Amino acid sequence: TVVARKELMAAIPSRVSMVEAAGIPLVFCTCVGVMEEADIRMQRSALIHAAAGGVGVAATQLAAHRYGVKTVLGTAGGTFKQQFALSW
């Protein structure tokens, strides 16, 4: 039996596999560790390299919503990746 607080749980969307879902916390924990070490909290801006990838998406979301960064800039390769990165 696993016991956890409900506010720490989230439903897995049907389009996300169990393997993909299992990797999401690792990606976000990696970003939190790096951002805490860099003391990014409340900075005016942050540049996220490869903003359309897994770590880049997590870093973009965390910078804006957890750390209060005012302007989040990101790099992305092709047009599709650029549009995807803008959706976050």
Side-chain angles (χ1 to χ4, degrees):
T1 301
V2 176
V3 178
R5 296 191 338 235
K6 66 180 178 182
E7 62 269 13
L8 299 177
M9 301 291 104
I12 300 171
S14 60
R15 67 183 183 280
V16 177
S17 74
M18 197 62 126
V19 172
E20 292 170 323
I24 292 171
L26 177 63
V27 170
F28 275 85
C29 287
T30 298
C31 290
V32 168
V34 170
M35 290 178 166
E36 292 286 330
E37 185 67 26
D39 196 23
I40 195 172
R41 200 172 303 279
M42 301 303 289
Q43 295 297 314
R44 286 185 36 213
S45 62
L47 173 62
I48 309 297
H49 181 61
V55 173
V57 169
T60 300
Q61 291 176 349
L62 287 169
H65 301 290
R66 178 177 176 153
Y67 294 103
V69 174
K70 304 292 184 240
T71 304
V72 180
L73 307 167
T75 65
T79 304
F80 177 78
K81 288 184 178 182
Q82 292 169 1
Q83 292 302 314
F84 181 74
L86 286 171
S87 69
W88 298 107

